[in-house]
Amino acid sequence: MPKNREQDVCEVRSIDRAKVMAVKKAMPSDRDIHSLSEIFSVLADPARTKIIYALSKEELCVCDIANILGNSISAVSHQLRILRNMRLVKFRKEAKRVYYSLDDRHINRLFNEGLKHVRE
Amino acid sequence: MPKNREQDVCEVRSIDRAKVMAVKKAMPSDRDIHSLSEIFSVLADPARTKIIYALSKEELCVCDIANILGNSISAVSHQLRILRNMRLVKFRKEAKRVYYSLDDRHINRLFNEGLKHVRE
DNA sequence: TGATTGTTTGAACAATTGTTCAAATATAAT
DNA sequence: ATTATATTTGAACAATTGTTCAAACAATCA
């Protein structure tokens, strides 16, 4: 995505300054908003959403995750790396296998809250 | 993104069939998973996240939303169309202006649950 | 009427995403 | 050692995303 250019302030005039100021003041920091979007983008992909759900039920090796999702081992491994980088999952090695499990208290609540939304 | 080819089942063997079956059975439908990811992808963009938050505080016209976000009118309008299509916001016209407001009970809870996550 | 203001829209574009494929690791078995 | 199995990794690629720009609409005002 292209980076925001210096905005043309003249074009963006405020209609209701009081409201605008109030909302701007209440708005969470750019840092928080960014982290928020980052978390949500994890669940914005069906494959990752399924992985999160699966791991909320069971500790699983990569092979079995791929089997559950119906995706390739490689694709799953790439997704797991993203989840690892975000510290959402942890893993342990056992023989040739690597077992993954959830490593985040909140992500599952987010999942369930979302599911409520979907099911109205 | 390329579409999933028919997976090479031979490559994806199951290690623990019982676990795999159990998780597969418990897994929400593909339809639900897809809707879930769709909802989350709305909040996966900082601009949209800010819009949702702003509208949770005040009914706002496009111009003021752009002002609050520091984005162009056009960019905001494009994002609003996405939110409209997903029935997350509603709008009313007043003179030359269009006022948007939230039209979804759950999205705000999702936002707040996410914020909890971010702030640990 | 024509000019102005607020918003929407579509095309174009760069950035990002998620997959596949092939090759590299790592661990265990023969 | 060689082979087989489980996983990771990087490059390549198509699909998608979010922005900008210019043009179109829509509503009001002179």
Side-chain angles (χ1 to χ4, degrees):
Chain A
M1 272 125 265
K3 228 180 145 202
N4 269 5
R5 282 192 336 172
E6 186 58 34
Q7 68 156 304
D8 198 348
V9 181
C10 305
E11 287 296 329
V12 181
R13 283 212 285 274
S14 189
I15 301 296
D16 186 332
R17 287 192 180 281
K19 261 200 216 172
V20 168
M21 295 284 277
V23 175
K24 264 186 178 170
K25 197 173 171 187
M27 182 72 64
S29 69
D30 263 23
R31 207 179 171 293
D32 278 0
I33 290 284
H34 188 268
S35 306
L36 202 45
S37 294
E38 208 174 25
I39 281 294
F40 282 119
S41 55
V42 170
L43 292 161
D45 175 70
R48 280 192 302 267
T49 306
K50 286 184 193 171
I51 293 176
I52 293 290
Y53 180 81
L55 295 183
S56 79
K57 294 291 166 192
E58 292 276 6
E59 186 199 44
L60 292 162
C61 67
V62 180
C63 190
D64 282 354
I65 297 172
N67 197 294
I68 289 162
L69 269 62
N71 289 350
S72 74
I73 299 270
S74 178
V76 167
S77 185
H78 278 296
Q79 300 292 14
L80 284 168
R81 183 163 47 83
I82 293 172
L83 298 176
R84 244 160 38 219
N85 289 345
M86 299 206 61
R87 319 249 176 227
L88 296 178
V89 300
K90 58 178 187 284
F91 63 96
R92 69 181 176 85
K93 297 197 174 192
E94 185 181 317
K96 275 175 283 189
R97 270 155 278 127
V98 180
Y99 281 90
Y100 283 84
S101 52
L102 278 197
D103 189 27
D104 186 288
R105 311 176 270 131
H106 292 302
I107 196 75
N108 212 30
R109 295 180 56 184
L110 222 54
F111 182 97
N112 287 321
E113 198 63 52
L115 207 53
K116 268 191 234 168
H117 184 283
V118 163
R119 292 172 171 166
E120 296 296 64
Chain B
M1 270 126 268
K3 227 180 147 205
N4 269 5
R5 281 195 334 175
E6 186 57 35
Q7 68 156 307
D8 198 348
V9 181
C10 304
E11 288 296 329
V12 180
R13 284 213 284 274
S14 189
I15 300 297
D16 185 332
R17 289 191 178 281
K19 261 201 216 172
V20 168
M21 295 284 277
V23 174
K24 266 187 177 169
K25 197 172 173 187
M27 181 73 64
S29 69
D30 262 23
R31 206 178 173 295
D32 279 359
I33 290 284
H34 189 268
S35 307
L36 201 46
S37 294
E38 207 174 26
I39 280 295
F40 281 120
S41 56
V42 169
L43 292 162
D45 175 69
R48 280 192 302 266
T49 306
K50 286 184 191 171
I51 293 177
I52 294 289
Y53 179 82
L55 295 182
S56 79
K57 294 290 166 193
E58 293 275 8
E59 185 198 45
L60 292 161
C61 67
V62 179
C63 191
D64 282 353
I65 297 172
N67 197 294
I68 289 162
L69 270 60
N71 288 350
S72 74
I73 300 269
S74 178
V76 167
S77 185
H78 278 297
Q79 300 292 14
L80 284 169
R81 184 164 46 83
I82 293 171
L83 298 176
R84 244 160 38 219
N85 289 345
M86 298 205 62
R87 320 249 177 226
L88 296 178
V89 301
K90 58 179 187 284
F91 64 95
R92 68 182 176 85
K93 297 197 175 192
E94 184 181 316
K96 276 175 284 190
R97 272 155 279 129
V98 180
Y99 281 89
Y100 283 84
S101 52
L102 277 197
D103 189 28
D104 188 288
R105 312 176 270 132
H106 292 302
I107 194 76
N108 211 29
R109 294 179 59 185
L110 222 54
F111 182 97
N112 288 320
E113 198 63 52
L115 207 53
K116 267 191 234 167
H117 183 283
V118 162
R119 292 172 171 165
E120 294 296 63

